[in-house]
Amino acid sequence: MPRHGASIVLVLLALLMGWPARATVPPVPPAAYITLSPLGASLRATYRLDTPVIRLSLGEGPVAWQNPVWRMETPGLVLQNQEVRAVDGRAFKEFSLLIDEDKRFVDRTYPVMLRLGPHGFLVYGPFLLVRSDSLATGLSQGTIPTEPAGGRALEGYVFVGPAGYVRPIDAAHPGLGRLVARPDLPAAWRDEVSPGLARALAYYRARLPPRGNTVSPIIVYQDQPAPFLRGSVTGGGMMLLQVGGVWRVPRLELKPERDRVLAHETFHLFLRRHDKADFPDWMNEGAADYAAGLVMRHGALPSLPEVQIQLDLCVTSLGDRPLDNPATTARNRMPYACGFVAHWLVDKALRRTGKPDDMGLFALWADMAAHDGVSAGDSLRQAVAGNPAASRALSLLLTGGGPERWTNWADSLAGLGVSARWVDAGAPSADEVLEHVLKQSCTGTHGFWRGVRYTLDTGDRCGPLSGDPVVTGMEGHALAGDAMALFQAVVARCAAGQDVALNRPDGAPPLSAPCHVPPPPSRALRLDPLP
């Protein structure tokens, strides 16, 4: 009898006689296992494959892989354009990469690897994943502990370092999560995380159950010098706070900003889609900014002066482009500000048709996070469909364009009890003038980090301004100084078709940026309540 025939007979006998049938075990797919271990100031990632390969593609990208922090350690192999291969074309099953610290500051781009104190490392897991339909990727436990562990370890940041770096944020309240920081971090700095985090978690858990009850963040506290206060969130419940010298300054006026950053980043842990797709930046960042404000105001609507700040940023940075369009990108505050304005419109409309609190908006966010493949723009428009004024204003913001877009948007606010009219705002801010000059050199996404010095985010997309340079002024006028003098100097150069000088720190020669169109005087939409 053929072998398969005998197998069929045995199975039938087992069923007829009550023998326990052997369960069919699906084959385990081959995998690539990564072990992370420190090597001096670098982090070593050792890959061991179940099956040999000729070439292997790695990780998300390509921005991270254009960063010169990656080095191939294994002789005879090369890493080029996210691909590992042997110089002589042979197959291989094992190799090691060395990763140096990533010292760039790029908006909404995760650093590849950061240092935490003398012995801690933080690496972004998705950059390490193997890109193969036939190979899964897992994290092997080496001699140095990693956090988080398990199947979600490579979904976001992975901490590699001594166990003493990881402690409860508040031993009396384990639900607040864990804090990863250098062990000698002063207790007072640790304590400043707890109140703001506890407030945000309690607020969101009360409004986004049951999913919110499972959120227990792992906060990574990096206190190396940085030009700003920055937070970011990744899979695995990891929240990174890059605080520089700002967080630790014990001034009362900084506390609301610290707590607002915590509330913003904590919201990102809640508004995450099941299908691992992501909402557009204006939705993610605008919702987080708006939710953080609700936490700070105990659910009250933002005041018109607060909306005014966001609207000014939105109008000047978005211009006549539609917000809800993949081609509309910017590495500045535009997604935050315009997303804030969009959610303000939705919140006002929902409170007029339902309960006068923020529960309607949180219910909308919960519904959006629970369903795969939903469109952020469609969901918000459907939520305000019963309010013609909010519906028109939201549509003009998300999909409108052209020179009359903002005038029409202002007219639509009357139905929401708000007056909006154009007023002369005088000289534009230094940010607006710098953005105007950047647009004339850049062919792709661009922006800047703002501080006493401005770090441009230009990559290789902005001609003579490429390379992410640091600038301090324009035409000899400080970016943080007299806005009118700076504006007038740039207008004079652009009107004559001459390059604009971008001043650099420490006596470095200025950069020359072509400018053929002078920046216009600033106009603003002034918001006032209707009587």
Side-chain angles (χ1 to χ4, degrees):
M1 180 182 293
R3 183 176 298 175
H4 67 272
S7 300
I8 294 173
V9 170
L10 288 174
V11 171
L12 290 173
L13 284 172
L15 293 173
L16 290 172
M17 301 182 67
W19 295 350
R22 180 179 297 175
T24 302
V25 178
V28 177
Y33 298 97
I34 305 172
T35 303
L36 300 173
S37 57
L39 183 66
S42 301
L43 184 68
R44 173 188 279 148
T46 300
Y47 289 72
R48 294 180 174 85
L49 315 181
D50 283 342
T51 182
V53 296
I54 301 290
R55 58 176 55 88
L56 191 67
S57 295
L58 297 179
E60 294 182 353
V63 174
W65 295 89
Q66 296 168 355
N67 194 335
V69 299
W70 306 90
R71 289 179 287 148
M72 172 60 69
E73 185 184 33
T74 305
L77 298 183
V78 294
L79 171 65
Q80 188 174 20
N81 297 328
Q82 295 180 249
E83 185 178 82
V84 178
R85 59 179 177 81
V87 175
D88 59 5
R90 63 180 172 83
F92 57 91
K93 291 182 63 176
E94 183 173 330
F95 63 92
S96 293
L97 300 177
L98 292 178
I99 311 170
D100 298 326
E101 184 173 13
D102 188 350
K103 298 182 179 181
R104 304 171 309 161
F105 295 103
V106 182
D107 189 21
R108 296 187 297 281
T109 297
Y110 294 116
V112 178
M113 193 272 282
L114 298 170
R115 294 294 309 276
L116 300 176
H119 304 297
F121 299 81
L122 191 72
V123 64
Y124 188 57
F127 292 150
L128 303 177
L129 294 175
V130 168
R131 290 193 295 138
S132 170
D133 294 333
S134 59
L135 281 176
T137 311
L139 183 64
S140 295
Q141 184 62 60
T143 57
I144 303 297
T146 59
E147 185 73 43
R152 299 188 62 193
L154 295 174
E155 290 183 12
Y157 282 123
V158 181
F159 168 71
V160 184
Y165 275 58
V166 185
R167 302 179 187 178
I169 293 172
D170 185 339
H173 300 90
L176 289 183
R178 288 161 288 171
L179 180 69
V180 181
R182 56 184 174 87
D184 59 343
L185 189 74
W189 297 357
R190 293 175 176 272
D191 293 343
E192 289 184 0
V193 173
S194 300
L197 180 64
R199 181 180 180 184
L201 281 173
Y203 200 88
Y204 297 145
R205 285 171 175 168
R207 287 158 175 78
L208 294 168
R211 188 178 184 184
N213 297 329
T214 66
V215 173
S216 182
I218 305 170
I219 295 184
V220 181
Y221 188 112
Q222 191 203 31
D223 66 318
Q224 294 182 1
F228 47 78
L229 174 62
R230 171 178 174 165
S232 56
V233 163
T234 69
M238 298 289 278
M239 181 192 303
L240 170 65
L241 297 175
Q242 292 175 284
V243 300
V246 178
W247 195 278
R248 67 188 69 156
V249 178
R251 285 162 46 195
L252 182 62
E253 62 265 28
L254 288 177
K255 182 179 182 300
E257 180 60 21
R258 290 197 299 258
D259 288 352
R260 192 175 186 118
V261 169
L262 280 169
H264 174 109
E265 298 304 335
T266 302
F267 184 79
H268 284 312
L269 295 172
F270 287 82
L271 191 70
R272 303 189 72 84
R273 283 170 48 156
H274 295 287
D275 57 1
K276 294 187 179 180
D278 207 359
F279 291 117
D281 282 348
W282 67 263
M283 174 68 203
N284 273 332
E285 303 301 346
D289 253 17
Y290 196 85
L294 292 172
V295 173
M296 302 300 289
R297 296 186 302 273
H298 305 285
L301 279 166
S303 65
L304 284 186
E306 184 177 351
V307 178
Q308 183 76 65
I309 293 172
Q310 304 295 337
L311 179 62
D312 290 345
L313 287 169
C314 180
V315 171
T316 56
S317 57
L318 181 62
D320 60 1
R321 297 175 295 170
L323 177 62
D324 191 23
N325 188 311
T328 303
T329 58
R331 293 193 180 279
N332 52 26
R333 290 292 302 176
M334 184 273 285
Y336 299 78
C338 295
F340 182 100
V341 173
H343 285 93
W344 171 67
L345 294 170
V346 174
D347 195 11
K348 281 187 71 69
L350 292 176
R351 295 186 195 223
R352 288 186 162 223
T353 57
K355 295 181 179 180
D357 56 30
D358 60 8
M359 297 302 287
L361 183 58
F362 274 94
L364 172 62
W365 285 330
D367 185 69
M368 292 173 67
H371 294 89
D372 296 344
V374 300
S375 160
D378 289 345
S379 296
L380 266 59
R381 280 191 292 267
Q382 291 170 10
V384 301
N387 187 308
S391 180
R392 183 165 185 258
L394 185 64
S395 292
L396 284 166
L397 175 61
L398 297 182
T399 59
E404 298 301 318
R405 180 260 212 98
W406 289 111
T407 298
N408 294 333
W409 183 87
D411 293 341
S412 68
L413 292 191
L416 294 173
V418 177
S419 165
R421 57 188 174 87
W422 288 109
V423 297
D424 183 4
S429 67
D431 289 11
E432 294 175 65
V433 177
L434 179 58
E435 173 67 16
H436 177 86
V437 172
L438 283 174
K439 283 181 178 178
Q440 297 185 60
S441 291
C442 298
T443 58
T445 57
H446 60 274
F448 46 82
W449 288 106
R450 182 175 59 189
V452 177
R453 300 176 175 185
Y454 283 49
T455 302
L456 304 188
D457 177 15
T458 52
D460 59 358
R461 307 173 298 277
C462 297
L465 303 182
S466 295
D468 303 337
V470 175
V471 297
T472 57
M474 302 175 74
E475 290 297 323
H477 299 279
L479 290 167
D482 187 338
M484 177 60 79
L486 183 147
F487 169 63
Q488 291 174 341
V490 173
V491 166
R493 299 289 293 182
C494 296
Q498 298 174 331
D499 288 358
V500 174
L502 271 64
N503 306 108
R504 304 174 66 191
D506 304 323
L511 301 171
S512 292
C515 184
H516 304 288
V517 179
S522 183
R523 290 198 309 159
L525 281 172
R526 170 71 179 271
L527 299 179
D528 291 295
L530 285 174

